[in-house]
Amino acid sequence: MVITVIALAVLASVYGMAIFATPTERSQGLAQKILYIHPSAAWASLMSFGIVGITSLGYLLLKDRRLDTFSEASAEVGLAFGVAMLTTGPMWGRPVWGAWWQWEPRLTLTLLLVLLFVGYRALRTAIDDPEERARFSAVVGIMALVLVPFVHLSVYMFRTIHPQPVFLKPSAPSMPWEMTRTLLFSMAAYTLLYVGFVTMRYGIGKRREAQSA
Amino acid sequence: MNETPDTSAYMVAAYLANAVILIGYALSLWRRSVRERSPRQGD
């Protein structure tokens, strides 16, 4: 809980930094400042889902129930960040692209990934036997891991109107330093928020397991 | 030279929505943590 509260306070200072201490982009106006929260939510969501894939693989290899509990926690946290990403993205797209949504590769693949994790949650709810639930959901978690790099690389692989990555690319960041530092700070805040959320959610999962044992 | 468009409403809406989602999720985790910690009837 402490990490989450600190992370939310850091996020509040990201808001302050983005609004008051970062220059306004001339052609997009203040809507451009949405790009200090939307890519960070996308980063946190993809990181959460990527970790689900890794811990799921770990579960299948080691059969350690803690890895399954952690996968469940990271998947739920990833969905929360996914909702934030899919909510803030259209609010940038409407004034800049002239449309709330475009069925282009990055957006469509991202939506599919989020829907896959809605299915992951449904699967976990539908199976009563803990071993069977852990095994089946680990397979789904690993399948989703395959989709994560495609989501990131989709802007290079397909013709798309989605902006290209600012940091996770071979060349230097393509923004002025005043903007880059705010986005970096925001990504750090979301990473800390992930740690806070997943710690809390893992604790809930562990207590549920202990009570049902 | 083109004027900077007034897109402030979109920024405010996005920042508010983001805060509501993340704080709402944090509160949901806190509530579930408290519920799981409290002893159940018959314990």
Side-chain angles (χ1 to χ4, degrees), chain A residues 1 11 15 18 26-31 33-34 37 76-77 84 87-88 91 94 190 197 200 204 208 211, chain B residues 1 3-5 7-8 10-11 13-15 17-19 21-23 25-26 29-30 32-33 36-37 40:
Chain A
M1 184 73 199
L11 184 65
Y15 273 35
R26 201 181 299 154
S27 62
Q28 296 179 20
L30 287 171
K33 289 180 190 273
I34 294 170
I37 54 169
E76 189 187 288
V77 173
T87 307
T88 54
M91 291 180 188
R94 181 69 183 87
Y190 274 79
F197 281 168
M200 287 177 80
I204 293 167
R208 269 189 199 156
Q211 281 166 2
Chain B
M1 202 169 76
E3 262 183 48
T4 301
T7 54
S8 52
Y10 293 99
M11 186 201 76
Y15 276 45
N18 187 60
I21 292 163
L22 296 179
I23 294 170
Y25 183 60
L29 285 174
W30 174 72
R32 281 186 281 167
S33 292
E36 293 296 330
R37 271 196 196 121
R40 292 180 184 181

Side-chain angles (χ1 to χ4, degrees), chain A residues 171-192:
Chain A
S171 55
S174 45
M175 280 202 310
W177 169 242
E178 293 85 354
M179 293 176 166
T180 305
R181 72 174 178 203
T182 307
L183 184 54
L184 274 173
F185 185 39
S186 169
M187 288 177 112
Y190 274 79
T191 307
L192 188 63

